[in-house]
Amino acid sequence: TAMAKTLSTSFDLDKLMNLFLEIVAEMLKLNRVSLAIYDSASGEYRIGPYHRGLMPKIASSIKLIPDDALPSWMIKEGRLITKSEAESMLFIPSFRQINSELEMLQAVASVPLLASGNLVGILSIGSRVTGVPYTHFELETLFILDSHVAVLIQDIGLYHQIQYQKTYLDNILLHMSSGVITINPDERVTIYNPRAAEILKIPIDQVLNKDLSDHPRRPDSLRHADSTGRPEGWRRHRGGRGPHPDSLHDGRHMRGPM
């Protein structure tokens, strides 16, 4: 659908979550909605800015941990819960705690955002502006929508983690004293750091992301290996087998200087 396509085209978590809340608020005509997302750094589910109709001070103070009654129940049961269901089970201590947490969230129902068996968030909805109860179909639709959004939240987290790792790796490669070349199975250079460019005296823009087999200045040491099976330029240094300080490394071998 157009809505799903819109939700899946952004890696900006804030933008995605605010769009999601707008869609839910418009779809159900409700007076209050909040989304508590799991923060791996603190180990808590926090609402933060992701709410409509809550006082900011209250929203910022609400925190749940996985062992709390509501998240724990959702992880175990894998389904939504309404306040009326919790109130019907108040003779069970865990449901009394769930009911208290729903009251804290000012919710008549809370819906889990589950991805790969992980509870990545909790969507809590208040009453409709008209006071008309939600139908089973509406709650089921909301659960399905939440499941899609949960996968997107997980994907965004992985995307930002990969970006962080790439930046970290780029910084390492930038300041290494050795030249590093990585060549994929298609003979395309995927990593070529500044030290490698300095050793080979070939600018980065002439090598990086280029097909090495077509490069007119490709070093012989990248074409042939000696009788031991190691590329030309391999040297033994103190401390064990490895490259000379001026050698080049690629994803398959340690490479010697040109």
Side-chain angles (χ1 to χ4, degrees):
T1 65
M3 180 177 69
K5 188 173 182 180
T6 301
L7 286 172
S8 63
T9 54
S10 174
F11 286 101
D12 184 329
L13 184 63
D14 287 344
K15 181 178 179 181
L16 176 66
M17 294 303 96
N18 281 304
L19 176 60
F20 173 54
L21 291 177
E22 291 294 341
I23 290 171
V24 172
E26 179 61 26
M27 181 175 70
L28 298 178
K29 308 296 183 187
L30 45 75
N31 66 353
R32 189 178 297 113
V33 60
S34 66
L35 178 59
I37 296 179
Y38 183 70
D39 175 31
S40 58
S42 65
E44 298 172 333
Y45 293 93
R46 296 178 174 180
I47 293 175
Y50 307 133
H51 64 91
R52 301 288 184 276
L54 286 177
M55 293 182 62
K57 186 175 181 180
I58 293 176
S60 63
S61 68
I62 294 175
K63 298 178 180 65
L64 294 169
I65 62 172
D67 288 337
D68 282 337
L70 180 60
S72 180
W73 186 89
M74 287 182 164
I75 292 168
K76 180 181 177 182
E77 299 295 330
R79 67 178 180 88
L80 64 85
I81 187 168
T82 63
K83 195 166 189 304
S84 59
E85 179 183 358
E87 287 174 339
S88 71
M89 306 286 284
L90 290 179
F91 57 90
I92 300 175
S94 61
F95 277 90
R96 287 201 294 271
Q97 185 59 37
I98 289 173
N99 188 60
S100 295
E101 290 169 9
L102 289 172
E103 289 179 350
M104 175 180 69
L105 292 164
Q106 300 182 29
V108 298
S110 284
V111 188
L113 278 75
L114 296 164
S116 304
N118 297 314
L119 183 66
V120 300
I122 301 171
L123 180 74
S124 299
I125 57 175
S127 302
R128 291 186 199 271
V129 292
T130 60
V132 177
Y134 300 110
T135 66
H136 288 294
F137 175 76
E138 287 172 327
L139 292 175
E140 183 179 353
T141 300
L142 189 58
F143 179 83
I144 294 171
L145 179 59
D146 278 17
S147 298
H148 288 298
V149 172
V151 173
L152 292 177
I153 292 172
Q154 191 173 63
D155 288 347
I156 289 172
L158 290 173
Y159 170 80
H160 287 296
Q161 184 179 0
I162 290 170
Q163 290 299 109
Y164 171 80
Q165 291 173 346
K166 182 180 182 301
T167 301
Y168 181 73
L169 177 60
D170 287 345
N171 285 332
I172 291 175
L173 292 171
L174 182 64
H175 297 97
M176 282 185 69
S177 60
S178 296
V180 180
I181 298 176
T182 298
I183 307 167
N184 69 15
D186 297 324
E187 293 288 295
R188 189 170 294 278
V189 179
T190 56
I191 293 177
Y192 184 70
N193 73 338
R195 181 58 178 152
E198 182 181 345
I199 294 170
L200 294 176
K201 297 180 173 59
I202 305 175
I204 290 177
D205 61 359
Q206 292 183 20
V207 177
L208 189 61
N209 299 320
K210 301 293 181 27
D211 188 339
L212 196 63
S213 62
D214 295 334
H215 200 286
R217 298 177 61 190
R218 179 182 180 181
D220 287 341
S221 63
L222 294 179
R223 283 202 184 104
H224 307 294
D226 63 19
S227 60
T228 67
R230 302 188 193 98
E232 295 175 17
W234 176 272
R235 307 177 187 181
R236 183 184 296 272
H237 66 86
R238 185 177 301 170
R241 183 173 297 170
H244 183 271
D246 281 344
S247 65
L248 299 174
H249 309 236
D250 82 356
R252 301 166 301 183
H253 303 288
M254 297 298 191
R255 304 295 187 178
M258 183 171 132

